[in-house]
Amino acid sequence: MSEILLLIFEIIGTVAFSISGAMLGVKKGMDIFGIIILGLTTAVGGGVIRDIILGITPPITFLNPIYAIIAILTATLIFLPSIQKIFLKQPHYYDLAMLTMDSVGLGVFTVVGIQTAYVMTPEHNLFLLIFVGVVTGVGGGVLRDIMAGDRPYIFVKHFYATASLIGAAITSIAWIYFGQALSMLAGTVIIITLRLCAAKFRWSLPKSELGD
């Protein structure tokens, strides 16, 4: 995958996650600063955690602020009254948009995390690639939910983290045989598909009978 295509890939993930974070901020009644911070954190949080794990300091987000700028601009657009009215008049649009954007962001950043681990750690192994991929994919969403005062999505919604885990494993193994571009595209599609199917068919992991 060329540098330009990888950049486009990352921008798509950044926009998707920023939208999901900002939308949650709108739903929570936050002011514009809170909405921007939530969008920014969701978009770059997983990447910052990834870089810390891999020993990349300072994290790439701070060296190349294009992703932070895109996230801030995206979140600001979500704050516009005309955009907010769409979700107020049609509440189901919020659920659909949230599911779609979260799924796209999860898929993109899981495989981008694997790509970064692959490039930055010459002595990588399968466990490292999968672990870093999942952390990159779910990290921003976990920070978003905690900051918004919600139980993290990955623990309760349609095997959210499991979709990332499956996609990360397939991407990491496929990388050996099919190379970077095909494995990243396949992994992204698989994760998005699993997330959407899980929501539609209400797939879920077993839950504790002692829970609320």
Side-chain angles (χ1 to χ4, degrees):
M1 183 176 288
S2 69
E3 292 296 323
I4 294 178
L5 286 177
L6 182 60
L7 176 62
I8 293 173
F9 212 56
E10 291 179 315
I11 288 175
I12 291 173
T14 299
V15 170
F17 260 166
S18 181
I19 290 174
S20 75
M23 286 176 58
L24 182 58
V26 169
K27 185 178 181 181
K28 292 286 185 176
M30 296 182 179
D31 60 22
I32 186 170
F33 182 76
I35 289 170
I36 289 175
I37 292 300
L38 213 58
L40 175 63
T41 300
T42 310
V44 305
V48 171
I49 297 172
R50 171 203 66 202
D51 292 349
I52 292 172
I53 292 173
L54 296 176
I56 304 173
T57 54
I60 295 172
T61 295
F62 302 108
L63 296 176
N64 185 5
I66 183 174
Y67 304 108
I69 293 171
I70 290 173
I72 290 170
L73 292 176
T74 302
T76 302
L77 288 175
I78 296 299
F79 180 77
L80 294 176
S82 57
I83 301 296
Q84 294 189 45
K85 287 179 181 178
I86 294 175
F87 301 121
L88 288 174
K89 292 180 179 179
Q90 302 288 343
H92 65 279
Y93 284 175
Y94 171 86
D95 294 331
L96 179 60
M98 191 72 173
L99 171 65
T100 303
M101 293 301 102
D102 221 26
S103 299
V104 171
L106 180 68
V108 168
F109 279 117
T110 296
V111 301
V112 167
I114 293 171
Q115 189 271 343
T116 304
Y118 204 98
V119 171
M120 300 303 296
T121 53
E123 298 181 358
H124 53 261
N125 55 44
L126 194 60
F127 177 75
L128 175 67
L129 294 176
I130 295 173
F131 181 83
V132 171
V134 173
V135 167
T136 308
V138 307
V142 170
L143 294 175
R144 172 198 65 202
D145 296 340
I146 292 173
M147 293 172 68
D150 290 340
R151 185 182 301 174
Y153 221 54
I154 66 170
F155 301 134
V156 295
K157 292 290 183 179
H158 311 303
F159 67 96
Y160 185 92
T162 307
S164 175
L165 180 61
I166 293 172
I170 292 174
T171 301
S172 300
I173 295 171
W175 202 295
I176 302 171
Y177 303 101
F178 303 107
Q180 176 180 334
L182 186 57
S183 60
M184 288 181 69
L185 289 172
T188 302
V189 171
I190 288 169
I191 292 170
I192 294 173
T193 301
L194 286 173
R195 283 286 297 122
L196 296 179
C197 287
K200 179 176 177 59
F201 299 110
R202 300 197 177 278
W203 297 343
S204 182
L205 295 177
K207 295 183 180 180
S208 170
E209 296 181 0
L210 298 177
D212 296 334

